[in-house]
Amino acid sequence: DGSITSTVQANTTAGFSIVEWTGDGGQSTVGHGLSSTPEIVIQKNLDSTSDWWFYTTAIDGSYDYLKLNSTVAKSDYSATAPTSTVFTSHGWGTTSMIAYCWHEIQGFSKFSSYIGNGSSDGTFVYLGFKPAFVMVKQTSASGNNWWMIDSKRDSFNPTDKGLRPSTNNAESTGLTLDFLSNGFKLRLSGTGLNGSGSTYFYMAFAEHPFVGDGTSP
């Protein structure tokens, strides 16, 4: 669908696609193969050492970027935001590129933001489902890592174990969240997940997903 031909594998029921293309050196458009506009597009250059560019409209409605391998805060992105058919290529030269695209599916996935309260009786985030996986990043300030928490390494509340895709560190402990039937609740006061007044992006996926027609994706 875009100005550059792309090869796409898509699960439109789950709202996820993987896209490969060869760049043309500019910010050209690339088809994503989904049935709705993606809120998240992660792009990576395959031919050389480079950042993982994480583009999203889910934080505050504007088109923003972060880096999955970095602790930097979010910045506004000047390129055109994704549409129902295409997204904008990052703009490297004539190199091989990969992108991972998601859009929300009610009852299966949720991408948005919350404000921390700095308390061990922390912010509750409504999802509409019980999460199996949550990834969080403070976006209003630099210095804090991405965090991934799931219900497989911690099968009861509060959760404890976390991984940081922005580092090569081993698993950490002390990531205290409650995974509830309709969302998750912070149980720690640190700035990594719940700093007072700080904004945090999150992406969450359901433990028992049911979408659209009541089927599992």
Side-chain angles (χ1 to χ4, degrees), residues 4 22-28 89-95:
I4 298 177
T22 299
D24 63 0
Q27 290 185 328
S28 302
S89 176
H90 178 84
W92 282 288
T94 54
T95 58

Side-chain angles (χ1 to χ4, degrees), residues 54-120:
F54 192 105
Y55 301 102
T56 183
T57 57
I59 299 170
D60 55 16
S62 65
Y63 196 28
D64 302 314
Y65 71 88
L66 302 107
K67 297 177 183 179
L68 193 58
N69 57 302
S70 171
T71 64
V72 297
K74 74 98 171 172
S75 297
D76 293 333
Y77 190 39
S78 60
T80 302
T83 71
S84 60
T85 56
V86 300
F87 62 88
T88 302
S89 176
H90 178 84
W92 282 288
T94 54
T95 58
S96 296
M97 297 289 299
I98 194 82
Y100 304 92
C101 309
W102 286 269
H103 73 81
E104 275 190 10
I105 299 292
Q106 185 176 3
F108 173 61
S109 57
K110 181 75 174 174
F111 318 128
S112 189
S113 62
Y114 65 87
I115 304 297
N117 67 4
S119 170
S120 58

